[in-house]
C-alpha cells in the first residue's frame, strides 16, 4: 500500500466508526444503529477532495474490520490512504452520536487507548509530506495522548521545514482532556500554523474574553498569517495584516446535524487559501469566508458529519446565486 499518490494537502488525525440510532428513541432505547465514518481531519479530507484537491489522510487504525471500514470509506471518497498505519494491539475507535430535536448532538466516545492514540513521533515520515503544499491538523488528535500530541507537533515542524503551509482548527473537545492541558498544548501549536480557524468560544477559552477585533489581532501576533473566526449565527470574520473582513452566514431553513460543520468550514476556507498560492488579499479572504460559510451550512443538512458537503460545481452554483439549496 505504499505507492506515492500525489497530494496537495496532507491531514493527520484519528477517524472513528460512528454509530447513530436509526430512529428517534435515543441511544438507550434504540436497537438499530447506522454505521458511518467520522473524524474531524477525515471530514476535512473529504471536503477538500469534493472541492477538487488531492488529499492524503494519515492515522493509525486497528487491525480490525472497523479499521478496514475507515480505509475503504475514505478511499471510496477519493482520499489517499496509502500511508495510513496499523497498530497490531489496539482497536479502532468507535463513537456514538445522539441527535435530538434541540441543541447540538451529544457524543459518547469509546476511544481511550485506541490505535490512533498510539501514534508517536517516531512514526512521522517525510514521505507523508513530499510533494504536498499544505498540512491540516486539529486539536483533537493532540488530546488523545502525549505521544499523539508530540507526533502532531513533529509533523507540523517537519511541514514547516519542507515548505508546506499549515492550518490548525483547535476543535476543542473537553471530554478528551483537562482544560489546563488543552489550553497549554493548543497555545503551543498556534505559532506553527499559517491559518488558524477557531470558533469564538474556543478563542475565549484560549485567551480569555476579548472583543472580536482583539481576538484577531492577538492570534495574528502569535504567528499565523490568517485567522478565520467562526461566529455561529453571525457568520465569520477573517483577519490578515491589520485588515478584517466579516461575512454573513449562509442561511439554511432546517438544521439536522451540526457536527462536522466546522470541518466543512475549514475545507472551504483552506481550498481558497490554496487556490491563491497560500497567500491572501482581502478579496480572496472574502471568497474564502463566503465559501467556508456555505460549506459549513450545507454540512448541517444531513445526519452525519460529511455526507452533506457539496462538490465544487454545486458549491459554485450556490455561491453565484444560480442555485438554491434544495435540501
Ligand atoms: O468535528 C467533527 C468531529 O467532532 C467528529 O467527527 C468526531 O473527530 C471527532 C471528535 O473527536 O469529536
Amino acid at each position: 500500500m505504499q505507492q506515492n499518490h500525489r497530494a496537495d494537502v496532507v491531514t493527520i488525525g484519528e477517524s472513528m466508526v460512528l454509530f447513530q440510532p436509526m430512529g428517534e428513541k435515543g441511544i438507550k432505547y434504540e436497537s438499530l444503529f447506522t454505521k458511518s465514518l467520522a473524524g474531524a481531519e477525515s471530514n476535512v479530507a473529504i471536503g477538500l477532495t469534493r472541492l477538487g484537491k488531492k488529499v492524503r489522510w494519515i492515522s493509525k487504525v486497528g487491525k480490525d474490520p472497523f479499521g478496514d471500514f475507515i480505509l475503504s470509506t475514505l478511499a471510496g471518497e477519493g482520499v489517499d490512504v496509502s500511508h495510513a498505519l496499523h497498530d497490531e494491539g489496539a482497536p479502532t475507535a468507535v463513537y456514538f452520536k445522539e441527535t435530538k430535536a434541540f441543541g447540538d448532538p451529544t457524543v459518547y466516545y469509546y476511544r481511550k487507548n485506541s490505535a490512533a492514540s498510539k501514534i508517536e513521533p517516531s512514526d512521522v515520515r517525510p514521505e507523508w509530506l513530499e510533494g504536498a503544499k499544505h498540512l491540516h491538523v486539529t486539536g483533537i488528535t493532540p488530546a488523545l495522548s502525549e505521544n499523539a500530541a508530540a507526533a502532531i507537533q513533529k509533523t507540523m515542524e517537519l511541514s514547516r521545514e519542507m515548505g508546506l503551509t499549515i492550518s490548525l482548527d483547535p476543535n476543542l473537545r473537553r471530554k478528551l482532556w483537562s482544560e489546563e492541558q488543552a489550553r497549554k498544548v493548543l497555545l503551543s501549536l498556534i505559532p506553527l500554523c499559517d491559518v488558524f480557524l477557531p470558533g469564538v468560544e474556543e478563542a475565549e477559552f484560549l485567551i480569555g474574553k476579548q472583543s472580536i477585533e482583539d481576538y484577531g489581532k492577538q492570534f495574528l501576533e502569535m504567528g499565523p498569517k490568517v485567522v478565520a473566526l467562526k461566529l455561529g449565527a453571525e457568520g465569520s470574520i477573517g483577519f490578515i495584516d491589520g485588515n478584517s473582513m466579516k461575512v454573513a452566514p449562509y442561511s439554511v431553513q432546517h438544521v439536522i446535524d451540526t457536527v462536522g460543520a466546522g470541518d466543512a468550514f475549514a475545507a472551504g476556507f483552506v481550498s481558497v487559501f490554496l487556490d491563491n498560492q497560500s497567500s491572501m488579499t482581502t478579496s480572496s479572504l472574502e471568497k474564502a469566508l463566503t465559501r467556508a460559510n456555505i460549506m459549513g451550512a450545507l454540512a448541517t443538512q444531513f445526519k452525519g458529519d460529511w455526507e452533506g458537503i457539496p462538490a465544487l460545481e454545486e458549491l459554485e452554483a450556490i455561491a453565484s446565486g444560480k442555485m438554491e439549496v434544495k435540501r
Side-chain angles (χ1 to χ4, degrees):
M1 287 251 275
Q2 279 279 322
Q3 73 271 42
N4 226 353
H5 302 268
R6 186 176 76 78
D8 302 313
V9 181
V10 178
T11 181
I12 167 169
E14 180 165 56
S15 293
M16 297 173 285
V17 177
L18 163 63
F19 288 98
Q20 298 181 94
M22 274 183 73
E24 314 297 326
K25 287 190 280 190
I27 290 173
K28 182 169 176 189
Y29 297 105
E30 184 59 67
S31 42
L32 297 173
F33 288 76
T34 59
K35 169 172 139 271
S36 60
L37 163 80
E41 299 86 353
S42 52
N43 293 342
V44 173
I46 293 172
L48 282 166
T49 303
R50 291 201 179 159
L51 296 178
K53 305 297 176 208
K54 301 261 176 240
V55 188
R56 174 175 302 139
W57 167 87
I58 289 160
S59 186
K60 260 190 184 172
V61 295
K63 282 245 176 213
D64 50 31
F66 287 157
D68 295 346
F69 168 74
I70 287 174
L71 297 180
S72 63
T73 306
L74 281 171
E77 290 297 318
V79 175
D80 172 25
V81 296
S82 60
H83 289 259
L85 305 166
H86 282 95
D87 190 283
E88 298 288 333
T92 304
V94 166
Y95 102 110
F96 289 77
K97 180 160 79 178
E98 191 168 60
T99 312
K100 305 167 292 267
F102 58 93
D104 288 334
T106 307
V107 306
Y108 300 90
Y109 295 128
Y110 296 83
R111 67 196 310 187
K112 209 171 169 39
N113 299 319
S114 66
S117 77
K118 308 286 178 194
I119 199 155
E120 49 182 88
S122 61
D123 291 320
V124 176
R125 299 268 173 278
E127 301 87 87
W128 292 357
L129 306 165
E130 260 158 28
K133 300 186 188 89
H134 189 82
L135 172 78
H136 178 78
V137 291
T138 85
I140 297 178
T141 302
L144 303 179
S145 60
E146 279 182 20
N147 46 285
I152 297 298
Q153 183 175 332
K154 184 170 173 191
T155 309
M156 292 174 85
E157 286 165 353
L158 186 59
S159 296
R160 285 177 79 87
E161 279 167 32
M162 291 174 69
L164 283 75
T165 48
I166 303 175
S167 46
L168 168 68
D169 183 339
N171 261 329
L172 176 64
R173 297 289 181 266
R174 292 170 197 268
K175 281 191 172 181
L176 297 180
W177 50 355
S178 72
E179 291 201 348
E180 192 191 359
Q181 186 67 1
R183 198 174 286 110
K184 184 174 129 215
V185 173
L186 293 173
L187 286 172
S188 76
L189 298 180
I190 296 173
L192 296 174
C193 79
D194 301 279
V195 180
F196 185 49
L197 300 157
V200 72
E201 283 162 19
E202 290 165 332
E204 180 175 344
F205 170 82
L206 288 168
I207 56 173
K209 200 163 179 57
Q210 319 267 340
S211 70
I212 297 294
E213 291 291 330
D214 280 347
Y215 285 138
K217 195 165 157 262
Q218 290 194 27
F219 287 131
L220 283 180
E221 277 167 9
M222 292 182 196
K225 292 186 206 140
V226 195
V227 174
L229 188 63
K230 291 162 270 183
L231 303 172
E234 302 279 303
S236 56
I237 182 164
F239 301 89
I240 39 164
D241 293 336
N243 291 314
S244 65
M245 165 74 60
K246 189 169 173 191
V247 174
Y250 186 77
S251 48
V252 283
Q253 282 167 1
H254 300 290
V255 169
I256 294 173
D257 182 353
T258 52
V259 179
D263 305 325
F265 179 97
F269 193 91
V270 168
S271 70
V272 177
F273 179 72
L274 291 172
D275 288 345
N276 287 276
Q277 274 87 40
S278 306
S279 77
M280 274 192 159
T281 58
T282 36
S283 100
S284 55
L285 181 61
E286 183 175 15
K287 182 173 180 196
L289 294 168
T290 305
R291 181 179 280 192
N293 287 354
I294 297 173
M295 292 279 284
L298 294 192
T300 67
Q301 301 297 288
F302 277 79
K303 192 170 162 184
D305 281 20
W306 50 268
E307 288 80 347
I309 295 178
L312 186 59
E313 207 178 40
E314 190 185 356
L315 179 109
E316 281 176 342
I318 292 169
S320 64
K322 292 196 192 110
M323 184 175 153
E324 290 198 9
V325 185
K326 293 194 230 67
R327 56 187 195 203

